[in-house]
């Protein structure tokens, strides 16, 4: 067995993320931190920019957290002019992060998402951290090209000794588009907690749930359009917050669905809400490997979702859920109507979904990460 820098089997592992606000990646970082700690490792979490409500979950689990409050080196004053003083302050925060690595001397630094791995991994590399993991959660969102972006891309790639993707689709894209050698890419699916009980999917009338940030590419507007096509649309709960809230509220009202669609806002933990519904929907236009789908499956819910990203890797059409093309309200409406009207179908799909979710338990996810870290020499 590969031994850590301290000479034992216990590794010191730093998980780095942009913030500890509510989001799929952030929830996965918490699960992974606790799972690795439970396997006997010394785990630390750093938030490059912000703290957030998930910090308390880490604290309760005994995982140390440090927030660096870095917000970019191109700081501006109230008039929009570049602020040398502000820039120096944030450069100092990057220096503090380098000193943190030098002091802690971790065996592994695993950084998640572009804004984090392009800043954190180069500093970890400069500080001598042996294993530097570039965590990919799906397709990198498009952004304007430019010298600054190219420099960040270059630094992030140069500083990465291993890439971990949460779906085969994401890994294939990484190899194809960014020309990362396949030998340096590992696929490890998200981890999910398995509740002791499952939802009463045969309950009537059937009610659906969507757990996703209110962002345009999550497809909430497509779902509203689909409900409009149904003579008797089932009630739907939208759980999440984001920039599309006002637009969705107006759309729901304009389509006469105010009594059908409930926007609850964000919640720290949506898992209990899955247990109070009969089916789940995720109509996304793009995804990596969505936590919401796995959590719905773990709760024994049939899931109606789209054929994007890594979703077809976890949902088998007609067996553990139902798949539809993205941006197709008519197809989505047909599947919602079918599932809402048939408790037997919901029970069959939901039972199979729960069984499939057991392969994605947090302990297995943590063990797979540990094995990937150990496979790289230091």
């Amino acid at each position: 067995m590969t031994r850590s820098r301290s000479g034992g089997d216990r590794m010191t592992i730093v998980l780095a993320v942009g913030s500890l606000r509510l989001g799929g990646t952030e929830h996965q970082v918490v699960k992974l931190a606790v799972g690795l700690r439970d396997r006997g490792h010394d785990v630390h979490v750093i938030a490059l920019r912000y703290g957030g409500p998930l910090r308390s979950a880490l604290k309760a689990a005994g995982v140390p957290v440090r927030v660096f409050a870095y917000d970019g080196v191109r700081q501006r004053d109230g008039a929009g002019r570049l602020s040398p003083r502000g820039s120096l302050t944030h450069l100092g925060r990057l220096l503090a992060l380098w000193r943190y690595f030098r002091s802690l001397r971790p065996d592994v630094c695993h950084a998640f998402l572009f804004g984090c791995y392009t800043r954190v991994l180069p500093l970890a590399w400069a500080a001598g951290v042996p294993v530097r993991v570039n965590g990919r959660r799906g397709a990198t969102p498009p952004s304007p090209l430019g010298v600054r972006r190219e420099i960040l891309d270059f630094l992030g790639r140069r500083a990465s000794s291993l890439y971990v993707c949460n779906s085969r689709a994401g890994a294939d894209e990484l190899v194809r588009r960014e020309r990362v050698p396949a030998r340096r890419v590992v696929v490890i699916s998200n981890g999910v907690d398995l509740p002791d009980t499952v939802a009463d999917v045969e309950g009537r009338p059937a009610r659906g749930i969507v757990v996703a940030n209110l962002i345009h590419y999550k497809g909430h507007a497509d779902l509203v359009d689909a409900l409009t096509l149904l003579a008797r649309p089932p009630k739907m709960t939208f759980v999440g917050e984001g920039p599309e809230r006002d637009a969705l509220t107006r759309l729901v009202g304009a389509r006469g669905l105010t009594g059908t669609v409930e926007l609850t806002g964000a919640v720290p933990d949506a898992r209990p809400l899955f247990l109070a519904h009969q089916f789940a929907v995720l109509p996304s236009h793009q995804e990596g490997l969505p936590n919401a789908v796995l959590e719905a499956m773990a709760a024994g819910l049939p899931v109606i979702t789209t054929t994007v990203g890594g979703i077809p890797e976890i949902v088998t059409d007609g067996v553990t859920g139902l798949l539809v093309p993205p941006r197709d309200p008519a197809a989505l409406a047909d599947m919602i109507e079918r599932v809402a009207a048939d408790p037997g179908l919901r029970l069959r799909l939901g039972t199979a979904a729960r069984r499939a979710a057991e392969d994605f338990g947090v302990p297995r996810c943590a063990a797979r990460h540990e094995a990937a870290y150990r496979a790289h020499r230091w």
Side-chain angles (χ1 to χ4, degrees):
M1 180 179 290
T2 305
R3 301 178 77 80
S4 73
R5 298 171 85 183
S6 60
D9 296 331
R10 186 173 190 248
M11 291 184 286
T12 298
I13 301 167
V14 172
L15 304 180
V17 69
S19 81
L20 292 170
R21 296 175 176 177
L22 300 177
T25 296
E26 294 79 4
H27 277 289
Q28 279 299 306
V29 169
V30 173
K31 293 178 192 298
L32 180 57
V34 175
L36 289 168
R37 184 216 58 186
D38 289 347
R39 293 185 65 81
H41 300 293
D42 179 22
V43 183
H44 301 251
V45 170
I46 62 173
L48 180 62
R49 300 186 68 188
Y50 312 116
L54 294 179
R55 185 174 188 171
S56 59
L58 289 164
K59 182 179 179 181
V63 176
V65 178
R66 182 161 173 183
V67 178
F68 284 88
Y70 169 77
D71 198 23
V73 295
R74 293 174 59 84
Q75 293 297 305
R76 298 183 182 274
D77 60 21
R81 297 169 299 199
L82 287 174
S83 170
R85 179 177 295 180
S87 296
L88 286 173
T89 296
H90 286 271
L91 280 171
R93 289 170 182 169
L94 291 180
L95 180 59
L97 178 53
W98 175 80
R99 288 173 175 161
Y100 168 87
F101 285 126
R102 292 284 290 177
S103 174
L104 186 64
R105 299 185 72 246
D107 300 295
V108 178
C109 175
H110 188 159
F112 296 81
L113 302 180
F114 178 85
C116 195
Y117 62 69
T118 55
R119 278 79 169 179
V120 173
L121 291 187
L123 293 169
W125 186 26
V129 178
V131 179
R132 303 168 305 277
V133 185
N134 188 317
R136 298 300 181 98
R137 314 300 296 172
T140 300
S143 63
L145 297 177
V147 174
R148 180 170 174 270
R149 172 65 185 245
E150 290 177 1
I151 291 173
L152 290 172
D153 276 335
F154 174 78
L155 290 174
R157 288 195 301 269
R158 286 287 295 162
S160 302
S161 57
L162 172 68
Y163 292 77
V164 172
C165 299
N166 64 352
S167 70
R168 173 51 54 190
D172 290 344
E173 180 185 45
L174 182 63
V175 172
R176 182 179 66 255
R177 291 183 57 184
E178 299 188 38
R179 302 185 184 279
V180 174
R183 68 180 183 277
R184 294 173 57 200
V185 181
V186 176
V187 177
I188 304 176
S189 300
N190 292 352
V192 65
D193 293 311
L194 298 169
D196 294 331
T197 59
V198 296
D200 176 17
V201 295
E202 295 180 285
R204 300 187 186 187
R207 184 182 181 112
I209 183 172
V210 185
V211 177
N213 290 328
L214 304 183
I215 306 171
H216 70 91
Y217 65 78
K218 292 295 184 177
H220 293 87
D222 295 341
L223 178 53
V224 173
D225 288 343
L227 294 173
T228 305
L229 297 174
L230 300 177
R232 294 183 178 84
K235 290 191 174 182
M236 296 291 306
T237 305
F238 286 18
V239 181
E241 195 54 82
E244 294 295 306
R245 168 175 275 278
D246 290 344
L248 283 171
T249 300
R250 290 193 297 271
L251 181 62
V252 167
R255 300 296 173 83
L257 295 172
T258 302
T260 300
V261 174
E262 177 187 6
L263 281 76
T264 67
V267 298
D269 185 356
R271 288 173 296 175
L273 296 178
F274 284 115
L275 297 174
H277 291 78
Q278 283 68 52
F279 65 95
V281 182
L282 187 68
S284 295
H285 303 163
Q286 63 184 59
E287 282 291 349
L289 195 81
N291 295 329
V293 170
L294 283 174
E295 290 180 346
M297 293 171 65
L301 290 184
V303 183
I304 303 168
T305 185
T306 49
T307 55
V308 298
I311 291 176
E313 298 173 33
I314 57 174
V315 176
T316 302
D317 189 31
V319 178
T320 60
L322 298 171
L323 297 176
V324 298
R327 298 184 176 88
D328 191 338
L332 189 58
D334 288 344
M335 292 303 178
I336 291 172
E337 185 173 46
R338 179 182 169 191
V339 168
D342 190 340
L345 175 63
R346 295 197 299 272
L347 180 61
R348 177 173 64 81
L349 295 175
T351 300
R354 166 66 184 215
R355 191 179 306 118
E358 293 173 0
D359 287 335
F360 300 94
V362 170
R364 293 188 183 185
C365 176
R368 289 165 182 162
H369 278 85
E370 179 191 283
Y373 301 157
R374 290 200 184 282
H376 283 69
R377 297 170 58 188
W378 40 65

